[in-house]
Amino acid sequence: MKLVTALVVLASSAEAFVPAVRNAVASTTALQSTLEKPQQLTRFDRIKARYKGPITTITPEIEDEVGFSYSSFEDAVAATTYSFNRNDVVKGTVVQYDKGGCIVDIGAKASAFLPFQEASLFQEQGVSIESLLSIDDEKEFEIISDEDENGQLLVSIRRIQYRQAWDDVVAMQQTDDVFEAECVSVNRGGAIFLVRGLRAFLPGSHLTGRLPDEDLIGQTLPLKFLEVNRDDNKLVVSNRRAVVETQMEDLSRGDVIDGIVKALKPYGAFVEVGGMSGLLHISQISMDRINDLEAVLKPGQRIKCMIIDHDKVNGRIALSTKTLEQEPGDMIKDPQRVYDNAEEAARVYLEKQELERKKREESAKDIVMGLGDALDDLTEGIEGDGEKEEEASDNLDSLLS
Protein backbone atom coordinates (compact mmCIF):
# COMPACT_ATOMS: atom_id res chain seq x y z
CA MET A 1 0.00 0.00 0.00
CA LYS A 2 2.81 2.42 0.88
CA LEU A 3 4.57 1.47 -2.33
CA VAL A 4 1.49 2.33 -4.44
CA THR A 5 1.12 5.69 -2.70
CA ALA A 6 4.79 6.53 -3.37
CA LEU A 7 4.43 5.73 -7.05
CA VAL A 8 1.35 8.00 -7.41
CA VAL A 9 3.17 10.94 -5.79
CA LEU A 10 6.20 10.44 -8.04
CA ALA A 11 4.05 10.40 -11.18
CA SER A 12 2.31 13.64 -10.19
CA SER A 13 5.64 15.37 -9.65
CA ALA A 14 6.87 14.28 -13.07
CA GLU A 15 3.77 15.63 -14.79
CA ALA A 16 4.30 19.00 -13.13
CA PHE A 17 7.95 19.10 -14.17
CA VAL A 18 7.42 18.36 -17.90
CA PRO A 19 5.82 21.78 -18.86
CA ALA A 20 8.58 23.63 -17.10
CA VAL A 21 11.19 21.69 -19.04
CA ARG A 22 9.37 22.35 -22.29
CA ASN A 23 9.20 26.08 -21.57
CA ALA A 24 12.92 26.19 -20.80
CA VAL A 25 13.77 24.39 -24.02
CA ALA A 26 11.56 26.75 -26.07
CA SER A 27 13.18 29.83 -24.49
CA THR A 28 16.64 28.47 -25.23
CA THR A 29 15.72 27.78 -28.86
CA ALA A 30 14.28 31.32 -29.33
CA LEU A 31 17.39 32.88 -27.81
CA GLN A 32 19.63 30.81 -30.01
CA SER A 33 17.69 31.79 -33.19
CA THR A 34 17.90 35.47 -32.16
CA LEU A 35 21.64 35.25 -31.67
CA GLU A 36 22.12 33.44 -34.98
CA LYS A 37 20.01 36.00 -37.00
CA PRO A 38 22.36 37.87 -39.36
CA GLN A 39 22.67 41.63 -39.04
CA GLN A 40 21.15 43.89 -41.73
CA LEU A 41 23.65 44.82 -44.43
CA THR A 42 24.27 48.41 -45.37
CA ARG A 43 23.93 49.57 -48.96
CA PHE A 44 27.71 49.54 -49.34
CA ASP A 45 27.88 45.94 -48.03
CA ARG A 46 25.21 44.84 -50.50
CA ILE A 47 27.06 46.47 -53.40
CA LYS A 48 30.31 44.92 -52.19
CA ALA A 49 28.70 41.47 -52.00
CA ARG A 50 27.49 41.76 -55.62
CA TYR A 51 30.82 43.01 -56.91
CA LYS A 52 32.31 40.55 -59.45
CA GLY A 53 35.46 42.42 -60.43
CA PRO A 54 39.08 41.53 -59.64
CA ILE A 55 40.14 41.60 -56.00
CA THR A 56 43.71 42.71 -55.29
CA THR A 57 45.34 41.93 -52.00
CA ILE A 58 47.34 44.86 -50.70
CA THR A 59 50.46 43.61 -48.95
CA PRO A 60 52.60 45.68 -46.57
CA GLU A 61 55.27 45.76 -49.29
CA ILE A 62 52.84 47.44 -51.73
CA GLU A 63 51.79 49.95 -49.05
CA ASP A 64 55.42 50.83 -48.42
CA GLU A 65 55.99 51.23 -52.15
CA VAL A 66 53.07 53.60 -52.76
CA GLY A 67 53.49 55.35 -49.42
CA PHE A 68 49.83 54.97 -48.56
CA SER A 69 47.73 52.34 -46.79
CA TYR A 70 44.11 51.57 -46.09
CA SER A 71 44.48 52.67 -42.51
CA SER A 72 45.99 56.02 -43.52
CA PHE A 73 43.18 56.45 -46.06
CA GLU A 74 40.57 55.83 -43.38
CA ASP A 75 42.29 58.37 -41.15
CA ALA A 76 42.26 60.93 -43.99
CA VAL A 77 38.55 60.34 -44.62
CA ALA A 78 37.75 60.69 -40.94
CA ALA A 79 39.74 63.92 -40.72
CA THR A 80 38.02 65.47 -43.78
CA THR A 81 35.07 67.77 -43.12
CA TYR A 82 32.22 67.53 -45.63
CA SER A 83 29.61 70.24 -45.99
CA PHE A 84 26.66 69.16 -48.13
CA ASN A 85 23.32 70.86 -47.54
CA ARG A 86 19.89 70.38 -49.02
CA ASN A 87 19.38 72.41 -52.26
CA ASP A 88 23.16 72.70 -52.86
CA VAL A 89 24.23 72.18 -56.49
CA VAL A 90 27.36 70.03 -56.80
CA LYS A 91 29.29 68.34 -59.59
CA GLY A 92 29.28 64.57 -59.72
CA THR A 93 30.07 61.53 -61.84
CA VAL A 94 27.79 58.61 -62.60
CA VAL A 95 29.65 55.50 -61.43
CA GLN A 96 27.08 52.69 -61.40
CA TYR A 97 23.52 51.82 -62.31
CA ASP A 98 21.42 50.63 -59.41
CA LYS A 99 17.87 49.45 -58.98
CA GLY A 100 15.58 52.44 -59.44
CA GLY A 101 18.36 54.90 -60.36
CA CYS A 102 22.13 55.21 -60.32
CA ILE A 103 25.05 55.84 -57.96
CA VAL A 104 26.77 59.23 -58.25
CA ASP A 105 30.15 60.18 -56.85
CA ILE A 106 29.94 63.74 -55.51
CA GLY A 107 33.05 63.58 -53.29
CA ALA A 108 31.23 62.74 -50.08
CA LYS A 109 31.98 59.93 -47.64
CA ALA A 110 29.31 57.84 -49.32
CA SER A 111 28.16 57.96 -52.94
CA ALA A 112 24.91 59.79 -53.63
CA PHE A 113 21.86 58.13 -55.17
CA LEU A 114 19.96 59.57 -58.15
CA PRO A 115 16.37 58.21 -58.30
CA PHE A 116 15.08 57.44 -61.79
CA GLN A 117 12.26 60.01 -61.57
CA GLU A 118 14.83 62.72 -60.80
CA ALA A 119 17.08 61.90 -63.78
CA SER A 120 15.33 64.13 -66.32
CA LEU A 121 12.67 66.85 -66.51
CA PHE A 122 10.62 64.95 -69.09
CA GLN A 123 10.72 61.18 -69.53
CA GLU A 124 8.97 59.41 -72.36
CA GLN A 125 7.03 56.27 -71.56
CA GLY A 126 9.25 53.17 -71.44
CA VAL A 127 12.53 55.09 -71.18
CA SER A 128 15.29 53.58 -69.00
CA ILE A 129 17.96 55.13 -66.78
CA GLU A 130 20.62 53.80 -69.18
CA SER A 131 19.20 55.86 -72.04
CA LEU A 132 19.20 59.02 -69.93
CA LEU A 133 22.68 58.77 -68.39
CA SER A 134 25.90 56.96 -69.20
CA ILE A 135 28.57 55.70 -66.85
CA ASP A 136 31.28 58.34 -66.25
CA ASP A 137 28.91 61.17 -67.25
CA GLU A 138 29.86 64.34 -65.36
CA LYS A 139 26.92 66.59 -64.55
CA GLU A 140 25.59 69.01 -61.98
CA PHE A 141 23.29 67.56 -59.32
CA GLU A 142 21.09 69.19 -56.72
CA ILE A 143 21.02 67.69 -53.22
CA ILE A 144 17.39 67.02 -52.28
CA SER A 145 17.72 65.20 -48.93
CA ASP A 146 19.75 64.97 -45.75
CA GLU A 147 22.14 62.08 -45.11
CA ASP A 148 20.53 58.75 -44.22
CA GLU A 149 21.88 56.26 -41.69
CA ASN A 150 24.55 55.18 -44.18
CA GLY A 151 25.65 58.76 -44.90
CA GLN A 152 24.05 58.69 -48.37
CA LEU A 153 22.38 61.70 -50.05
CA LEU A 154 19.65 61.88 -52.69
CA VAL A 155 20.38 64.09 -55.71
CA SER A 156 18.39 65.39 -58.68
CA ILE A 157 18.97 66.58 -62.24
CA ARG A 158 15.28 67.26 -62.91
CA ARG A 159 15.06 70.18 -60.49
CA ILE A 160 18.03 71.94 -62.08
CA GLN A 161 16.51 71.46 -65.53
CA TYR A 162 13.14 72.70 -64.25
CA ARG A 163 14.55 76.05 -63.08
CA GLN A 164 16.57 76.47 -66.27
CA ALA A 165 13.50 75.70 -68.40
CA TRP A 166 11.46 78.42 -66.67
CA ASP A 167 14.31 80.90 -67.11
CA ASP A 168 14.35 80.12 -70.84
CA VAL A 169 10.57 80.39 -71.15
CA VAL A 170 10.45 83.79 -69.40
CA ALA A 171 13.19 85.07 -71.73
CA MET A 172 11.30 83.74 -74.78
CA GLN A 173 8.13 85.50 -73.67
CA GLN A 174 9.94 88.81 -73.33
CA THR A 175 11.27 88.65 -76.91
CA ASP A 176 7.87 87.32 -78.15
CA ASP A 177 9.55 85.26 -80.87
CA VAL A 178 7.94 82.37 -82.71
CA PHE A 179 9.20 78.96 -81.53
CA GLU A 180 8.43 75.36 -82.38
CA ALA A 181 7.27 72.62 -80.02
CA GLU A 182 6.05 69.03 -80.25
CA CYS A 183 2.58 67.85 -79.28
CA VAL A 184 2.67 65.09 -76.65
CA SER A 185 -1.05 64.64 -75.90
CA VAL A 186 -4.54 65.94 -76.69
CA ASN A 187 -7.71 66.42 -74.68
CA ARG A 188 -11.22 67.78 -75.16
CA GLY A 189 -10.14 71.38 -74.63
CA GLY A 190 -7.01 71.41 -76.75
CA ALA A 191 -3.52 69.90 -76.81
CA ILE A 192 -0.39 69.66 -74.66
CA PHE A 193 2.96 70.72 -76.11
CA LEU A 194 6.44 70.29 -74.68
CA VAL A 195 8.30 73.62 -74.37
CA ARG A 196 11.83 73.27 -72.96
CA GLY A 197 10.63 70.18 -71.10
CA LEU A 198 7.63 72.02 -69.59
CA ARG A 199 4.04 71.12 -70.45
CA ALA A 200 2.18 73.96 -72.19
CA PHE A 201 -1.54 74.03 -72.99
CA LEU A 202 -2.78 74.98 -76.46
CA PRO A 203 -6.53 75.82 -76.45
CA GLY A 204 -8.44 74.34 -79.36
CA SER A 205 -9.56 77.83 -80.42
CA HIS A 206 -5.93 78.80 -80.98
CA LEU A 207 -5.12 75.86 -83.28
CA THR A 208 -5.39 76.96 -86.90
CA GLY A 209 -6.71 74.86 -89.73
CA ARG A 210 -7.52 71.67 -87.80
CA LEU A 211 -8.98 70.11 -84.68
CA PRO A 212 -6.95 68.81 -81.71
CA ASP A 213 -7.23 65.07 -82.48
CA GLU A 214 -4.94 62.07 -82.05
CA ASP A 215 -3.23 62.76 -85.39
CA LEU A 216 -1.73 65.88 -83.86
CA ILE A 217 0.43 63.90 -81.39
CA GLY A 218 4.07 63.88 -82.44
CA GLN A 219 3.73 66.84 -84.80
CA THR A 220 5.75 70.04 -84.40
CA LEU A 221 3.96 73.38 -84.77
CA PRO A 222 5.00 77.05 -84.61
CA LEU A 223 3.77 78.66 -81.41
CA LYS A 224 3.71 81.88 -79.41
CA PHE A 225 2.99 82.43 -75.75
CA LEU A 226 -0.40 83.60 -74.49
CA GLU A 227 0.33 83.30 -70.76
CA VAL A 228 3.44 82.56 -68.70
CA ASN A 229 2.90 82.23 -64.95
CA ARG A 230 5.89 80.78 -63.11
CA ASP A 231 4.29 80.95 -59.67
CA ASP A 232 1.27 78.90 -60.75
CA ASN A 233 3.31 76.66 -63.08
CA LYS A 234 1.03 77.69 -65.95
CA LEU A 235 1.94 77.91 -69.64
CA VAL A 236 -0.60 78.72 -72.39
CA VAL A 237 0.46 78.93 -76.05
CA SER A 238 -1.14 79.81 -79.37
CA ASN A 239 -0.58 78.40 -82.82
CA ARG A 240 -2.88 81.00 -84.38
CA ARG A 241 -0.75 83.91 -83.18
CA ALA A 242 2.39 82.41 -84.66
CA VAL A 243 0.80 81.51 -87.99
CA VAL A 244 -1.06 84.78 -88.38
CA GLU A 245 1.96 86.97 -87.76
CA THR A 246 4.06 84.90 -90.15
CA GLN A 247 1.49 84.65 -92.93
CA MET A 248 0.16 88.19 -92.63
CA GLU A 249 3.55 89.62 -93.56
CA ASP A 250 3.14 88.19 -97.08
CA LEU A 251 -0.53 89.08 -97.62
CA SER A 252 -1.89 92.28 -99.16
CA ARG A 253 -5.26 93.60 -100.24
CA GLY A 254 -6.06 92.46 -103.77
CA ASP A 255 -4.11 89.19 -103.58
CA VAL A 256 -5.79 86.13 -105.11
CA ILE A 257 -5.31 83.11 -102.89
CA ASP A 258 -6.41 79.48 -102.70
CA GLY A 259 -8.51 78.34 -99.77
CA ILE A 260 -10.59 75.48 -98.41
CA VAL A 261 -14.13 75.98 -97.14
CA LYS A 262 -14.15 74.83 -93.52
CA ALA A 263 -17.60 75.77 -92.26
CA LEU A 264 -20.84 77.36 -93.44
CA LYS A 265 -22.81 79.85 -91.36
CA PRO A 266 -26.00 81.82 -92.10
CA TYR A 267 -23.89 84.93 -92.69
CA GLY A 268 -21.21 83.32 -94.90
CA ALA A 269 -18.38 80.79 -95.05
CA PHE A 270 -15.14 80.36 -93.14
CA VAL A 271 -12.24 79.62 -95.46
CA GLU A 272 -8.84 78.29 -94.41
CA VAL A 273 -6.09 80.33 -96.03
CA GLY A 274 -2.51 79.27 -95.35
CA GLY A 275 -3.36 78.01 -91.88
CA MET A 276 -5.53 81.03 -91.10
CA SER A 277 -9.30 81.35 -91.09
CA GLY A 278 -10.85 84.02 -93.33
CA LEU A 279 -14.48 85.13 -93.61
CA LEU A 280 -16.22 85.05 -97.00
CA HIS A 281 -19.37 87.03 -96.19
CA ILE A 282 -22.51 86.02 -98.04
CA SER A 283 -22.73 89.49 -99.58
CA GLN A 284 -19.24 89.02 -101.07
CA ILE A 285 -19.86 85.67 -102.75
CA SER A 286 -21.77 86.86 -105.83
CA MET A 287 -23.30 89.98 -107.33
CA ASP A 288 -26.60 88.09 -107.53
CA ARG A 289 -28.61 87.32 -104.42
CA ILE A 290 -27.90 83.95 -102.78
CA ASN A 291 -30.89 82.19 -101.29
CA ASP A 292 -29.23 78.83 -100.50
CA LEU A 293 -25.59 79.04 -99.46
CA GLU A 294 -25.16 75.25 -99.36
CA ALA A 295 -26.04 75.08 -103.05
CA VAL A 296 -23.04 77.33 -103.86
CA LEU A 297 -20.37 76.23 -101.35
CA LYS A 298 -19.69 73.03 -99.43
CA PRO A 299 -17.26 72.22 -96.57
CA GLY A 300 -14.00 70.83 -97.94
CA GLN A 301 -14.42 72.59 -101.30
CA ARG A 302 -11.36 74.32 -102.77
CA ILE A 303 -11.99 77.85 -104.00
CA LYS A 304 -10.14 80.95 -105.18
CA CYS A 305 -10.89 84.28 -103.57
CA MET A 306 -9.51 87.79 -103.23
CA ILE A 307 -8.35 89.48 -100.03
CA ILE A 308 -10.36 92.68 -99.71
CA ASP A 309 -9.32 93.56 -96.15
CA HIS A 310 -7.18 92.25 -93.29
CA ASP A 311 -6.45 92.99 -89.65
CA LYS A 312 -2.85 91.96 -88.96
CA VAL A 313 -3.11 92.66 -85.26
CA ASN A 314 -6.05 90.32 -84.64
CA GLY A 315 -5.36 87.97 -87.56
CA ARG A 316 -8.63 88.54 -89.40
CA ILE A 317 -9.06 88.32 -93.19
CA ALA A 318 -12.04 89.45 -95.27
CA LEU A 319 -12.44 87.57 -98.57
CA SER A 320 -14.48 88.01 -101.73
CA THR A 321 -15.35 85.99 -104.83
CA LYS A 322 -17.80 88.61 -106.10
CA THR A 323 -14.89 90.77 -107.23
CA LEU A 324 -13.67 87.88 -109.43
CA GLU A 325 -16.94 87.47 -111.36
CA GLN A 326 -16.79 88.48 -115.01
CA GLU A 327 -20.58 88.45 -115.19
CA PRO A 328 -23.01 88.86 -112.26
CA GLY A 329 -24.05 85.46 -110.93
CA ASP A 330 -21.06 83.50 -112.26
CA MET A 331 -20.36 82.09 -108.77
CA ILE A 332 -23.87 80.61 -108.75
CA LYS A 333 -24.08 79.49 -112.39
CA ASP A 334 -20.46 78.52 -113.23
CA PRO A 335 -18.00 78.86 -110.30
CA GLN A 336 -15.24 77.04 -112.21
CA ARG A 337 -15.20 79.86 -114.75
CA VAL A 338 -14.58 82.27 -111.88
CA TYR A 339 -11.65 80.21 -110.57
CA ASP A 340 -10.10 79.73 -114.03
CA ASN A 341 -10.09 83.47 -114.74
CA ALA A 342 -9.50 84.67 -111.18
CA GLU A 343 -6.10 86.30 -111.74
CA GLU A 344 -7.22 88.17 -114.86
CA ALA A 345 -10.48 89.26 -113.20
CA ALA A 346 -8.54 90.47 -110.17
CA ARG A 347 -6.20 92.51 -112.39
CA VAL A 348 -9.12 94.16 -114.16
CA TYR A 349 -10.88 94.82 -110.85
CA LEU A 350 -7.79 96.43 -109.31
CA GLU A 351 -7.21 98.61 -112.38
CA LYS A 352 -10.83 99.74 -112.19
CA GLN A 353 -10.44 100.51 -108.50
CA GLU A 354 -7.28 102.48 -109.19
CA LEU A 355 -9.03 104.57 -111.89
CA GLU A 356 -11.92 105.28 -109.56
CA ARG A 357 -9.48 106.31 -106.82
CA LYS A 358 -7.74 108.74 -109.17
CA LYS A 359 -11.09 110.19 -110.27
CA ARG A 360 -12.05 110.77 -106.64
CA GLU A 361 -8.73 112.48 -106.01
CA GLU A 362 -9.16 114.70 -109.07
CA SER A 363 -12.69 115.60 -108.01
CA ALA A 364 -11.52 116.47 -104.51
CA LYS A 365 -8.69 118.54 -105.99
CA ASP A 366 -11.10 120.45 -108.26
CA ILE A 367 -13.35 121.22 -105.28
CA VAL A 368 -10.42 122.58 -103.29
CA MET A 369 -9.16 124.68 -106.23
CA GLY A 370 -12.64 126.04 -106.89
CA LEU A 371 -13.03 126.98 -103.25
CA GLY A 372 -9.70 128.79 -103.38
CA ASP A 373 -10.77 130.80 -106.47
CA ALA A 374 -14.03 131.73 -104.77
CA LEU A 375 -12.15 132.95 -101.73
CA ASP A 376 -9.86 135.05 -103.90
CA ASP A 377 -12.84 136.70 -105.60
CA LEU A 378 -14.51 137.44 -102.28
CA THR A 379 -11.45 139.00 -100.69
CA GLU A 380 -10.16 140.90 -103.76
CA GLY A 381 -10.09 144.70 -103.22
CA ILE A 382 -11.64 144.64 -99.72
CA GLU A 383 -8.48 144.83 -97.63
CA GLY A 384 -8.91 147.45 -94.94
CA ASP A 385 -12.70 147.74 -95.36
CA GLY A 386 -14.39 146.28 -92.29
CA GLU A 387 -17.88 146.16 -93.78
CA LYS A 388 -16.67 144.38 -96.92
CA GLU A 389 -14.60 141.95 -94.84
CA GLU A 390 -17.68 141.10 -92.80
CA GLU A 391 -19.69 140.65 -96.02
CA ALA A 392 -16.94 138.40 -97.43
CA SER A 393 -16.99 136.33 -94.27
CA ASP A 394 -20.75 135.87 -94.55
CA ASN A 395 -20.37 134.77 -98.20
CA LEU A 396 -17.64 132.32 -97.19
CA ASP A 397 -19.86 130.83 -94.51
CA SER A 398 -22.60 130.37 -97.08
CA LEU A 399 -20.19 128.52 -99.40
CA LEU A 400 -18.98 126.18 -96.66
CA SER A 401 -22.46 125.47 -95.27
Side-chain angles (χ1 to χ4, degrees):
M1 187 66 181
K2 291 181 179 181
L3 179 58
V4 173
T5 303
L7 290 174
V8 171
V9 172
L10 181 59
S12 300
S13 301
E15 289 178 0
F17 179 72
V18 169
V21 173
R22 289 177 180 172
N23 292 336
V25 171
S27 300
T28 303
T29 303
L31 178 61
Q32 184 178 0
S33 62
T34 303
L35 294 174
E36 292 177 354
K37 186 177 181 180
Q39 294 182 351
Q40 178 132 15
L41 297 177
T42 65
R43 188 182 199 85
F44 178 77
D45 292 333
R46 291 197 300 271
I47 294 173
K48 182 179 178 181
R50 293 197 301 267
Y51 180 67
K52 304 298 182 181
I55 300 177
T56 304
T57 303
I58 307 299
T59 63
E61 290 77 13
I62 296 177
E63 292 180 352
D64 293 339
E65 183 179 348
V66 299
F68 206 73
S69 64
Y70 278 121
S71 59
S72 58
F73 176 74
E74 291 177 0
D75 295 339
V77 170
T80 303
T81 302
Y82 297 92
S83 178
F84 292 101
N85 301 311
R86 188 190 291 264
N87 300 326
D88 285 350
V89 176
V90 297
K91 288 187 177 181
T93 304
V94 178
V95 296
Q96 180 182 337
Y97 297 124
D98 196 30
K99 184 178 180 180
C102 60
I103 305 299
V104 180
D105 179 14
I106 60 172
K109 290 182 179 181
S111 296
F113 182 68
L114 174 69
F116 173 70
Q117 63 270 21
E118 296 291 335
S120 177
L121 179 58
F122 178 79
Q123 300 174 4
E124 296 182 358
Q125 188 173 4
V127 71
S128 63
I129 188 67
E130 290 82 2
S131 62
L132 297 176
L133 294 169
S134 301
I135 299 297
D136 295 331
D137 275 357
E138 294 185 359
K139 291 183 175 294
E140 288 189 335
F141 300 85
E142 181 178 341
I143 298 173
I144 60 174
S145 75
D146 297 323
E147 291 185 355
D148 61 11
E149 65 276 7
N150 298 319
Q152 191 174 64
L153 297 165
L154 295 180
V155 294
S156 170
I157 295 176
R158 184 185 66 85
R159 302 192 188 190
I160 297 176
Q161 293 178 343
Y162 177 81
R163 287 195 300 271
Q164 184 60 52
W166 270 109
D167 291 341
D168 293 343
V169 165
V170 170
M172 292 164 61
Q173 182 201 25
Q174 292 174 350
T175 58
D176 200 29
D177 293 333
V178 176
F179 60 90
E180 292 189 344
E182 181 182 347
C183 178
V184 295
S185 66
V186 294
N187 52 43
R188 293 182 61 184
I192 303 297
F193 282 77
L194 206 61
V195 181
R196 297 294 190 271
L198 301 174
R199 298 170 70 86
F201 177 64
L202 171 68
S205 59
H206 281 267
L207 179 63
T208 59
R210 62 181 304 168
L211 297 174
D213 52 22
E214 295 292 332
D215 295 335
L216 185 61
I217 298 176
Q219 294 192 25
T220 300
L221 298 181
L223 303 172
K224 273 200 163 191
F225 288 114
L226 287 179
E227 182 180 355
V228 175
N229 192 323
R230 188 169 190 165
D231 295 334
D232 295 337
N233 192 27
K234 185 177 181 181
L235 283 179
V236 184
V237 294
S238 170
N239 171 238
R240 188 178 68 188
R241 275 197 67 204
V243 171
V244 164
E245 293 187 12
T246 302
Q247 297 287 344
M248 280 291 190
E249 294 177 356
D250 302 325
L251 297 179
S252 302
R253 292 180 180 86
D255 289 350
V256 176
I257 54 178
D258 295 326
I260 300 176
V261 178
K262 284 297 181 180
L264 298 180
K265 301 294 180 181
Y267 49 83
F270 285 99
V271 181
E272 181 188 339
V273 179
M276 296 175 293
S277 182
L279 176 62
L280 177 59
H281 196 270
I282 193 169
S283 64
Q284 289 293 331
I285 296 177
S286 177
M287 295 182 188
D288 283 357
R289 180 181 177 83
I290 295 178
N291 296 319
D292 185 6
L293 181 59
E294 294 183 356
V296 181
L297 298 174
K298 292 178 174 57
Q301 179 181 349
R302 288 186 172 273
I303 64 173
K304 283 188 175 182
C305 44
M306 176 190 285
I307 298 176
I308 58 175
D309 199 6
H310 56 65
D311 182 354
K312 292 188 176 182
V313 176
N314 296 311
R316 296 171 181 168
I317 305 175
L319 305 172
S320 174
T321 52
K322 178 175 72 174
T323 56
L324 304 179
E325 288 184 325
Q326 293 181 325
E327 298 292 337
D330 277 352
M331 273 298 296
I332 301 174
K333 303 171 188 175
D334 188 3
Q336 191 59 46
R337 180 189 178 192
V338 176
Y339 305 148
D340 292 340
N341 299 284
E343 285 75 13
E344 177 64 21
R347 185 187 63 80
V348 172
Y349 175 81
L350 293 175
E351 289 179 353
K352 182 180 178 180
Q353 291 293 104
E354 182 65 16
L355 289 175
E356 292 179 356
R357 183 186 65 81
K358 290 182 177 179
K359 287 181 179 179
R360 289 194 299 270
E361 290 181 353
E362 290 294 333
S363 298
K365 185 178 179 180
D366 291 341
I367 292 174
V368 172
M369 294 298 293
L371 180 60
D373 294 339
L375 290 174
D376 291 340
D377 293 340
L378 290 171
T379 57
E380 184 177 353
I382 62 174
E383 286 83 356
D385 191 332
E387 293 181 359
K388 290 185 178 181
E389 287 181 2
E390 184 177 353
E391 182 180 353
S393 177
D394 293 339
N395 290 335
L396 178 58
D397 289 339
S398 65
L399 286 173
L400 295 175
S401 61

